[in-house]
Structure formats: structure tokens, C-alpha cells
Amino acid sequence: MTLAKGPLVAPETCNIPGGGHVLLIAINHYPAFGRVPPEHVDAVHAELNQYKDALRSLFNKHGHDMVVYEIAREAQRGLSHAHLQIVAVPKGSSDNIEAIVQEEAAKAGYALQNERSDSDRDYFDMELPNGKHLIHLLHPKTRFNLQFGRQTLARALGQDDRADWKNCKQETDDEKQAGKAFKGAFKPFDFTL
């Protein structure tokens, strides 16, 4: 687990110490969490759920829900690495996220569904605060905007200026301070201690 570089939810705009944009990254190399080998899938998903539950508790303590999204696609050189983006959303903003995601998906020509019907296909999966999943199956010859999740959440949060992570870079000292603050806030929820 690490804080995102160029966080969508910055420490100064979020009352979660250190900020509210976290990445959960698999230590072992899997192209996507939906493609973990069968012999490891139960353990990996159990640990992911423990982290998500712990983060949900931390965010809730500070008046936030969370949105989780993953883009699962094979990189052309086989360099993809499974990770989840977890973004804090103020509780008052949670209800409008689905409508905005649906609207943005329609504009982009993305068909959203609630289940992955083809486990071999690449996908975009956004888990809303209410647990509902919005999934778009990616087509090999069709371009998918890899920033779709971030851009859509930036719009939902009224922070369009933060849609591009490059606009949100932090100084190294600020990153370190945010990391230290987040680590301290997460400690009571950290099941690994």
C-alpha cells in the first residue's frame, strides 16, 4: 500500500491525514487482480479485502466513503502490474458518483455492466461506495482512456483541475510528510501489526 503520486485527493483538501488517494499494489506480479492464478486467488483476494475494509474504516472515521477502481489490461510488453486505486470521497458526494460515471461512460462510448461476463477479457472496474461495480470490458482493438476513472472522479468531486496527476505533483518533502501522517492515521486499522 502506498499513497498515490499526484494524488487526486490532496492532503490539503481532505481531512484524512496524509490525503485520501491510495494504491494497493500486488507484491507478486499479476497482470490484474482478476487474473490471479487459481492456487493463489483466495489468499490474494482475502488480503485485498482486509486492506479495503481497513481503509474503509479509516475513511469513515474522517467522514469519507471510498471508490475503488482497477484497469486490468495486458500491456503490449507484458509489463502490467495489478493495482487498485482507492480514492476518498466525502460522504455528501457519494450519491452522485454513479450518475456521473454513467454519463461520462456514455459520452466515451463505454458500455457499463455490473458483472464481468468474460474472465479472460481486459476490463475497467469501478466499485462505488455502496458496493456496486461498474465494469467496462475492454476490446483489444479499441482505445480505452486509461485516465477515465481519475477524470470521472475529479469531475464528481468538483476538482476538474486534478484530473491529470501531473498537475498534482507534490514536493518530495510534502510526499514524505503526507506518508508519515497517513501511516500514523492508518496504524489503528492496520491488521498486519
Side-chain angles (χ1 to χ4, degrees):
M1 180 171 62
T2 186
L3 291 176
K5 276 204 176 291
L8 174 58
V9 181
E12 61 272 8
T13 64
C14 176
N15 64 352
I16 297 169
H21 189 169
V22 178
L23 301 179
L24 285 182
I25 305 168
I27 292 173
N28 292 327
H29 194 277
Y30 306 117
F33 288 113
R35 293 200 183 103
V36 174
E39 64 272 16
H40 301 291
V41 74
D42 289 342
V44 169
H45 285 198
E47 186 173 20
L48 273 179
N49 287 331
Q50 285 180 293
Y51 272 106
K52 286 168 50 178
D53 289 346
L55 287 166
R56 193 173 286 111
S57 295
L58 169 64
F59 289 7
N60 186 55
K61 177 182 177 184
H62 294 281
H64 286 70
D65 287 324
M66 68 182 211
V67 174
V68 181
Y69 69 93
E70 176 186 19
I71 299 172
R73 69 180 188 110
E74 281 291 333
Q76 292 168 345
R77 295 184 201 147
L79 300 176
S80 55
H81 195 95
H83 69 280
L84 298 178
Q85 303 254 356
I86 300 180
V87 179
V89 177
K91 288 199 179 281
S93 301
S94 295
D95 292 340
N96 71 342
I97 293 173
E98 181 175 1
I100 291 172
V101 174
Q102 293 282 6
E103 181 182 321
E104 293 298 317
K107 282 186 207 173
Y110 303 152
L112 296 177
Q113 53 196 47
N114 300 116
E115 293 181 5
R116 270 194 316 130
S117 56
D118 183 348
S119 62
D120 293 331
R121 292 265 300 275
D122 291 344
Y123 60 90
F124 168 83
D125 181 358
M126 181 177 280
E127 181 183 347
L128 302 173
N130 64 8
K132 183 175 182 180
H133 287 259
L134 300 176
I135 299 166
H136 173 65
L137 297 178
L138 306 181
H139 300 278
K141 298 188 190 292
T142 304
R143 186 181 180 318
F144 178 76
N145 176 2
L146 298 177
Q147 297 302 314
F148 176 74
R150 183 183 178 105
Q151 290 169 350
T152 302
L153 287 175
R155 179 174 168 228
L157 294 170
Q159 297 183 21
D160 289 329
D161 59 320
R162 299 191 70 83
D164 184 343
W165 73 270
K166 294 173 193 160
N167 296 337
C168 307
K169 290 182 182 176
Q170 297 171 293
E171 297 296 324
T172 302
D173 287 345
D174 293 335
E175 286 179 350
K176 288 179 182 176
Q177 188 173 356
K180 187 175 180 182
F182 186 84
K183 186 176 181 179
F186 185 70
K187 189 173 183 177
F189 306 96
D190 191 346
F191 62 93
T192 65
L193 298 179

